[in-house]
Amino acid sequence: MKSFIRNKLPKKILKYFSYIRNYQHNVYSINNPINEKTNVSDFFIWSNKCKHIDFVAENTRALMLGNEVKVTHNFKFFNKNGKVIYHQKHNTKNFFERIRLNLVKFDFSYCSFIHYVDSDLSISEIFKKKNLGIKNNFCEQNRGYTIYYSSDDNSGSVVHGNFGGLTKNGKKMAITNTKKHLYTPIYKFKKDSNYDLVFNNPTDKIIDIFLWMNNFTYKKELTIPPLGTRFFHLKDYFGSISFESKLPICRALLFVNPEPNSIGNFDVFHT
């Protein structure tokens, strides 16, 4: 019977039924179709407290073809309230490129940026060269890694981006869930360190994130506008923290001892 219904109903209707059935687990809106023309980025964190920040970008076109392809890596920055404030570019033909991002000092500690690629060669053209035909369920995913340096030391802390799903025009594909999620990182905060817990919002709605301290004895609320960034500074604290929100994926980017220092106790990682 199920097979009969699947064969008789239009694919678009079946897609909507599937989306509704799995609604609580979906992270993207059904109104934002994924196809080979879509250019999607993770949501990366910029820190004004760092000495400098590098970005490791991949050249998807070169990797798919097996030879160098000229591309432009774009970085678009949003202020803490989600407004576009800065754009920088880097041209290359390498398979991977480590880029020293321009040191821009904003009047806030943290903000966010996206990474996307422009090229004369489209992903659709590559599919044709590879005789793959039209791939409606594929899109160009621009990920990459940020490397944070607290001093002039040769070693930095490397992390990938936060959950994003943002197009190069700032279109927000990520959705909020109807139910709240509670997530507790497996990490013990220590009194001899201080921390910045940084969150950003890739959705088109204002979100609230509650940070619960030690067995829910105390909470802190962060309200974040679309494409905005907020952080909570924590010191003299011992124990665990839980995050409560309607984001499908809600993990803080944790900066340990974030103030510029050269004593070797700086670190950055996803909780």
Side-chain angles (χ1 to χ4, degrees), residues 172-190:
K172 298 166 280 291
M173 301 177 69
I175 59 173
T176 56
N177 295 123
T178 56
K179 295 182 180 179
K180 290 183 178 180
H181 298 280
L182 189 64
Y183 171 68
T184 304
I186 306 175
Y187 183 78
K188 183 184 291 184
F189 294 85
K190 301 177 181 179

Side-chain angles (χ1 to χ4, degrees), residues 45-104:
I45 300 293
W46 175 267
S47 171
N48 266 344
K49 297 183 178 182
C50 288
K51 189 73 174 181
H52 53 262
I53 298 174
D54 288 358
F55 189 90
V56 180
E58 64 181 18
N59 185 339
T60 303
R61 290 159 177 79
L63 292 170
M64 292 176 69
L65 291 173
N67 55 263
E68 294 179 338
V69 178
K70 291 182 179 180
V71 299
T72 300
H73 291 289
N74 294 268
F75 302 92
K76 185 179 290 186
F77 291 76
F78 304 84
N79 68 13
K80 66 176 185 178
N81 294 320
K83 304 300 181 184
V84 177
I85 53 174
Y86 184 65
H87 185 190
Q88 60 178 278
K89 300 180 179 182
H90 184 90
N91 297 316
T92 182
K93 59 181 180 180
N94 297 329
F95 288 79
F96 294 93
E97 188 78 1
R98 182 165 176 163
I99 301 167
R100 177 63 51 89
L101 295 177
N102 296 339
L103 189 61
V104 183

Side-chain angles (χ1 to χ4, degrees), residues 148-164:
Y148 300 93
Y149 294 86
S150 181
S151 66
D152 287 323
D153 292 343
N154 292 325
S155 61
S157 296
V158 184
V159 294
H160 60 76
N162 278 355
F163 173 68

Side-chain angles (χ1 to χ4, degrees), residues 140-260:
E140 183 175 352
Q141 176 75 51
N142 292 290
R143 303 203 67 187
Y145 295 86
T146 43
I147 309 176
Y148 300 93
Y149 294 86
S150 181
S151 66
D152 287 323
D153 292 343
N154 292 325
S155 61
S157 296
V158 184
V159 294
H160 60 76
N162 278 355
F163 173 68
L166 300 166
T167 69
K168 64 181 183 180
N169 296 322
K171 188 174 183 180
K172 298 166 280 291
M173 301 177 69
I175 59 173
T176 56
N177 295 123
T178 56
K179 295 182 180 179
K180 290 183 178 180
H181 298 280
L182 189 64
Y183 171 68
T184 304
I186 306 175
Y187 183 78
K188 183 184 291 184
F189 294 85
K190 301 177 181 179
K191 284 192 175 183
D192 58 356
S193 291
N194 64 90
Y195 308 88
D196 284 345
L197 293 93
V198 188
F199 299 86
N200 50 17
N201 177 10
T203 76
D204 61 0
K205 296 180 180 179
I206 296 173
I207 59 169
D208 293 317
I209 298 177
F210 295 92
L211 285 70
W212 292 93
M213 315 290 174
N214 258 351
N215 300 322
F216 299 88
T217 55
Y218 167 76
K219 71 175 180 179
K220 170 68 178 180
E221 180 180 1
L222 298 177
T223 299
I224 313 177
L227 300 180
T229 308
R230 294 291 187 272
F231 77 100
F232 176 61
H233 184 70
L234 185 68
K235 62 180 181 179
D236 297 324
Y237 178 78
F238 180 83
S240 62
I241 297 179
S242 298
F243 310 142
E244 178 185 344
S245 79
K246 289 186 177 181
L247 279 174
I249 300 174
C250 181
R251 297 189 303 171
L253 189 61
L254 184 64
F255 289 78
V256 183
N257 300 309
E259 301 301 332

Side-chain angles (χ1 to χ4, degrees), residues 3-47:
S3 177
F4 175 80
I5 293 174
R6 282 197 297 267
N7 291 331
K8 292 299 180 182
L9 288 177
K11 289 184 178 180
K12 193 170 184 179
I13 294 178
L14 289 173
K15 182 180 178 182
Y16 273 92
F17 280 155
S18 176
Y19 186 87
I20 292 172
R21 184 182 63 182
N22 298 294
Y23 182 76
Q24 290 299 331
H25 306 287
N26 289 319
V27 294
Y28 291 146
S29 167
I30 195 171
N31 296 319
N32 294 306
I34 293 176
N35 56 58
E36 77 275 8
K37 294 182 180 179
T38 307
N39 194 319
V40 180
S41 173
D42 283 349
F43 211 17
F44 304 93
I45 300 293
W46 175 267
S47 171

